[in-house]
Amino acid sequence: QVQLVESGGGLVQPGGSLRLSCAASGSIFSINTMGWYRQAPGKQREWVATITSGGSTNSADSVKGRFTISRDDTTNMVYLQMNNLNPEDTAVYYCNARAASMILYWGRGTQVTVSS
């Protein structure tokens, strides 16, 4: 199986930036696509961005132009650079990985709070 651990969340002022990290371990050879999701209180979990094993990326319209997903295969890390944050970005951010078997794995999440 795959284990995912997110880090980098915290409190930031509107307009600020944060860089989230996701460390993957376990059966990492089976990982195909990785991504980031977020969930605000009382709302459904929302897809944020994904990146394939080949490096292709995609992101939600709500974050395009502000968030950038990337990966470092040498360290099995996935990152989410978040710029120009606004209060609507406040949520728990979850790292996600899809194995070749199509099994989905999730991290425990990291809290991002955008507030003045």
Side-chain angles (χ1 to χ4, degrees):
Q1 61 179 15
V2 175
Q3 294 81 45
L4 305 172
V5 180
E6 304 95 336
S7 62
L11 175 64
V12 64
Q13 294 185 347
S17 299
L18 282 175
R19 187 190 189 217
L20 305 183
S21 300
C22 175
S25 61
S27 301
I28 55 177
F29 61 87
S30 67
I31 296 176
N32 187 349
T33 301
M34 299 191 69
W36 289 93
Y37 288 70
R38 66 185 183 185
Q39 187 169 23
K43 296 184 178 181
Q44 296 291 321
R45 186 168 296 185
E46 175 189 23
W47 169 68
V48 176
T50 53
I51 185 167
T52 70
S53 58
S56 298
T57 62
N58 198 9
S59 60
D61 290 340
S62 60
V63 305
K64 278 184 176 175
R66 300 188 298 120
F67 292 10
T68 302
I69 188 171
S70 61
R71 68 191 299 167
D72 186 344
D73 292 335
T74 65
T75 57
N76 302 312
M77 297 285 290
V78 176
Y79 305 96
L80 185 68
Q81 179 65 47
M82 305 186 295
N83 298 325
N84 194 25
L85 287 161
N86 57 63
E88 289 69 38
D89 296 316
T90 296
V92 176
Y93 283 71
Y94 297 91
C95 183
N96 161 266
R98 186 180 69 192
S101 63
M102 303 303 292
I103 295 176
L104 298 177
Y105 299 93
W106 297 91
R108 295 182 182 274
T110 183
Q111 177 70 50
V112 172
T113 302
V114 185
S115 176
S116 59

CSV table of all heavy atoms in Angstrom, one decimal, residues 36-62:
chain,number,residue,atom,x,y,z
A,36,TRP,N,-4.1,16.8,-5.5
A,36,TRP,CA,-4.5,17.5,-4.3
A,36,TRP,C,-6.0,17.8,-4.4
A,36,TRP,O,-6.5,18.2,-5.4
A,36,TRP,CB,-3.8,18.9,-4.2
A,36,TRP,CG,-2.3,18.7,-3.9
A,36,TRP,CD1,-1.3,18.7,-4.7
A,36,TRP,CD2,-1.7,18.6,-2.6
A,36,TRP,NE1,-0.1,18.6,-4.1
A,36,TRP,CE2,-0.3,18.6,-2.7
A,36,TRP,CE3,-2.3,18.6,-1.3
A,36,TRP,CZ2,0.5,18.4,-1.6
A,36,TRP,CZ3,-1.4,18.5,-0.2
A,36,TRP,CH2,0.0,18.4,-0.4
A,37,TYR,N,-6.6,17.6,-3.3
A,37,TYR,CA,-8.0,17.9,-3.1
A,37,TYR,C,-8.1,18.7,-1.8
A,37,TYR,O,-7.2,18.8,-1.0
A,37,TYR,CB,-8.9,16.6,-2.9
A,37,TYR,CG,-9.1,15.8,-4.1
A,37,TYR,CD1,-8.0,15.1,-4.7
A,37,TYR,CD2,-10.3,15.7,-4.8
A,37,TYR,CE1,-8.2,14.3,-5.9
A,37,TYR,CE2,-10.5,15.0,-5.9
A,37,TYR,CZ,-9.4,14.3,-6.4
A,37,TYR,OH,-9.6,13.5,-7.6
A,38,ARG,N,-9.3,19.4,-1.7
A,38,ARG,CA,-9.5,20.2,-0.5
A,38,ARG,C,-10.9,20.1,-0.1
A,38,ARG,O,-11.8,19.8,-0.9
A,38,ARG,CB,-9.1,21.7,-0.7
A,38,ARG,CG,-10.0,22.4,-1.8
A,38,ARG,CD,-9.4,23.8,-2.0
A,38,ARG,NE,-10.2,24.6,-2.9
A,38,ARG,CZ,-9.9,25.8,-3.4
A,38,ARG,NH1,-8.8,26.4,-3.0
A,38,ARG,NH2,-10.8,26.4,-4.2
A,39,GLN,N,-11.2,20.3,1.2
A,39,GLN,CA,-12.5,20.3,1.7
A,39,GLN,C,-12.7,21.3,2.8
A,39,GLN,O,-12.0,21.3,3.8
A,39,GLN,CB,-12.8,18.9,2.3
A,39,GLN,CG,-14.3,18.7,2.7
A,39,GLN,CD,-14.6,17.3,3.0
A,39,GLN,OE1,-13.7,16.5,3.3
A,39,GLN,NE2,-15.9,16.9,2.9
A,40,ALA,N,-13.6,22.2,2.5
A,40,ALA,CA,-14.0,23.2,3.5
A,40,ALA,C,-15.1,22.7,4.4
A,40,ALA,O,-15.9,21.8,4.0
A,40,ALA,CB,-14.4,24.5,2.8
A,41,PRO,N,-15.2,23.3,5.6
A,41,PRO,CA,-16.3,22.8,6.5
A,41,PRO,C,-17.7,22.9,5.8
A,41,PRO,O,-18.0,23.9,5.3
A,41,PRO,CB,-16.2,23.7,7.7
A,41,PRO,CG,-14.8,24.2,7.7
A,41,PRO,CD,-14.4,24.3,6.2
A,42,GLY,N,-18.4,21.8,5.9
A,42,GLY,CA,-19.8,21.8,5.4
A,42,GLY,C,-19.9,21.7,3.9
A,42,GLY,O,-21.0,21.7,3.3
A,43,LYS,N,-18.7,21.5,3.2
A,43,LYS,CA,-18.7,21.3,1.8
A,43,LYS,C,-18.2,20.0,1.3
A,43,LYS,O,-17.5,19.3,2.1
A,43,LYS,CB,-17.9,22.5,1.1
A,43,LYS,CG,-18.5,23.9,1.4
A,43,LYS,CD,-17.7,24.9,0.6
A,43,LYS,CE,-18.3,26.3,0.8
A,43,LYS,NZ,-17.5,27.3,0.1
A,44,GLN,N,-18.4,19.7,0.1
A,44,GLN,CA,-17.9,18.4,-0.5
A,44,GLN,C,-16.4,18.6,-0.8
A,44,GLN,O,-15.9,19.7,-1.0
A,44,GLN,CB,-18.6,18.1,-1.8
A,44,GLN,CG,-20.1,17.8,-1.6
A,44,GLN,CD,-20.3,16.5,-0.8
A,44,GLN,OE1,-19.6,15.5,-1.1
A,44,GLN,NE2,-21.3,16.4,0.0
A,45,ARG,N,-15.7,17.5,-0.8
A,45,ARG,CA,-14.3,17.5,-1.1
A,45,ARG,C,-14.2,17.9,-2.6
A,45,ARG,O,-14.9,17.4,-3.5
A,45,ARG,CB,-13.7,16.1,-0.9
A,45,ARG,CG,-12.2,16.1,-1.1
A,45,ARG,CD,-11.5,14.9,-0.6
A,45,ARG,NE,-11.7,14.7,0.9
A,45,ARG,CZ,-11.2,13.8,1.6
A,45,ARG,NH1,-10.4,12.8,1.0
A,45,ARG,NH2,-11.4,13.7,2.9
A,46,GLU,N,-13.3,18.8,-2.9
A,46,GLU,CA,-13.1,19.4,-4.2
A,46,GLU,C,-11.8,19.1,-4.8
A,46,GLU,O,-10.7,19.2,-4.1
A,46,GLU,CB,-13.3,20.9,-4.1
A,46,GLU,CG,-13.0,21.7,-5.4
A,46,GLU,CD,-13.0,23.2,-5.1
A,46,GLU,OE1,-12.7,23.6,-4.0
A,46,GLU,OE2,-13.2,24.0,-6.1
A,47,TRP,N,-11.8,18.7,-6.0
A,47,TRP,CA,-10.5,18.5,-6.7
A,47,TRP,C,-9.8,19.8,-7.0
A,47,TRP,O,-10.4,20.8,-7.4
A,47,TRP,CB,-10.8,17.7,-8.0
A,47,TRP,CG,-9.6,17.7,-8.9
A,47,TRP,CD1,-8.5,17.0,-8.8
A,47,TRP,CD2,-9.5,18.4,-10.2
A,47,TRP,NE1,-7.6,17.2,-9.8
A,47,TRP,CE2,-8.2,18.0,-10.7
A,47,TRP,CE3,-10.3,19.2,-10.9
A,47,TRP,CZ2,-7.7,18.5,-11.9
A,47,TRP,CZ3,-9.8,19.7,-12.1
A,47,TRP,CH2,-8.5,19.3,-12.6
A,48,VAL,N,-8.5,19.8,-6.7
A,48,VAL,CA,-7.7,21.0,-6.9
A,48,VAL,C,-6.8,20.8,-8.1
A,48,VAL,O,-6.8,21.7,-9.0
A,48,VAL,CB,-6.9,21.3,-5.7
A,48,VAL,CG1,-6.0,22.5,-5.9
A,48,VAL,CG2,-7.8,21.6,-4.5
A,49,ALA,N,-5.9,19.8,-8.1
A,49,ALA,CA,-5.0,19.6,-9.2
A,49,ALA,C,-4.5,18.2,-9.2
A,49,ALA,O,-4.5,17.5,-8.2
A,49,ALA,CB,-3.8,20.6,-9.0
A,50,THR,N,-4.0,17.8,-10.4
A,50,THR,CA,-3.4,16.4,-10.5
A,50,THR,C,-2.2,16.5,-11.4
A,50,THR,O,-2.0,17.4,-12.2
A,50,THR,CB,-4.4,15.4,-11.2
A,50,THR,OG1,-4.9,16.0,-12.4
A,50,THR,CG2,-5.6,15.1,-10.3
A,51,ILE,N,-1.3,15.5,-11.2
A,51,ILE,CA,-0.1,15.4,-12.0
A,51,ILE,C,0.1,13.9,-12.3
A,51,ILE,O,0.0,13.1,-11.4
A,51,ILE,CB,1.1,16.0,-11.3
A,51,ILE,CG1,2.3,16.0,-12.3
A,51,ILE,CG2,1.4,15.4,-10.0
A,51,ILE,CD1,3.4,16.9,-11.8
A,52,THR,N,0.4,13.6,-13.5
A,52,THR,CA,0.6,12.2,-13.9
A,52,THR,C,2.0,11.8,-13.7
A,52,THR,O,2.9,12.6,-13.4
A,52,THR,CB,0.2,11.9,-15.4
A,52,THR,OG1,1.1,12.6,-16.2
A,52,THR,CG2,-1.2,12.5,-15.6
A,53,SER,N,2.3,10.5,-13.9
A,53,SER,CA,3.7,10.0,-13.7
A,53,SER,C,4.6,10.6,-14.8
A,53,SER,O,5.8,10.6,-14.7
A,53,SER,CB,3.7,8.5,-13.8
A,53,SER,OG,3.1,8.0,-15.0
A,54,GLY,N,3.9,11.0,-15.9
A,54,GLY,CA,4.7,11.6,-17.0
A,54,GLY,C,4.9,13.1,-16.9
A,54,GLY,O,5.5,13.7,-17.7
A,55,GLY,N,4.3,13.7,-15.8
A,55,GLY,CA,4.5,15.1,-15.6
A,55,GLY,C,3.4,16.0,-16.1
A,55,GLY,O,3.5,17.2,-15.9
A,56,SER,N,2.4,15.4,-16.7
A,56,SER,CA,1.3,16.2,-17.2
A,56,SER,C,0.4,16.7,-16.0
A,56,SER,O,0.1,16.0,-15.1
A,56,SER,CB,0.4,15.5,-18.2
A,56,SER,OG,1.1,15.1,-19.3
A,57,THR,N,0.0,18.0,-16.1
A,57,THR,CA,-0.7,18.6,-15.0
A,57,THR,C,-2.1,19.1,-15.4
A,57,THR,O,-2.3,19.4,-16.6
A,57,THR,CB,0.1,19.7,-14.3
A,57,THR,OG1,0.3,20.8,-15.3
A,57,THR,CG2,1.4,19.2,-13.8
A,58,ASN,N,-3.0,19.2,-14.5
A,58,ASN,CA,-4.3,19.8,-14.7
A,58,ASN,C,-4.7,20.3,-13.4
A,58,ASN,O,-4.4,19.8,-12.3
A,58,ASN,CB,-5.3,18.8,-15.2
A,58,ASN,CG,-6.5,19.4,-15.9
A,58,ASN,OD1,-6.5,20.6,-16.1
A,58,ASN,ND2,-7.5,18.6,-16.2
A,59,SER,N,-5.6,21.4,-13.4
A,59,SER,CA,-6.0,22.0,-12.2
A,59,SER,C,-7.4,22.5,-12.4
A,59,SER,O,-7.9,22.7,-13.5
A,59,SER,CB,-5.1,23.1,-11.7
A,59,SER,OG,-5.0,24.1,-12.7
A,60,ALA,N,-8.1,22.7,-11.2
A,60,ALA,CA,-9.5,23.2,-11.3
A,60,ALA,C,-9.5,24.7,-11.7
A,60,ALA,O,-8.5,25.4,-11.5
A,60,ALA,CB,-10.1,23.1,-9.9
A,61,ASP,N,-10.6,25.1,-12.3
A,61,ASP,CA,-10.7,26.5,-12.7
A,61,ASP,C,-10.6,27.5,-11.6
A,61,ASP,O,-10.1,28.6,-11.8
A,61,ASP,CB,-12.1,26.7,-13.4
A,61,ASP,CG,-12.1,26.0,-14.8
A,61,ASP,OD1,-11.1,25.6,-15.4
A,61,ASP,OD2,-13.3,25.7,-15.3
A,62,SER,N,-11.0,27.1,-10.4
A,62,SER,CA,-11.0,28.0,-9.3
A,62,SER,C,-9.6,28.3,-8.8
A,62,SER,O,-9.4,29.3,-8.1
A,62,SER,CB,-11.8,27.4,-8.1
A,62,SER,OG,-11.2,26.1,-7.7
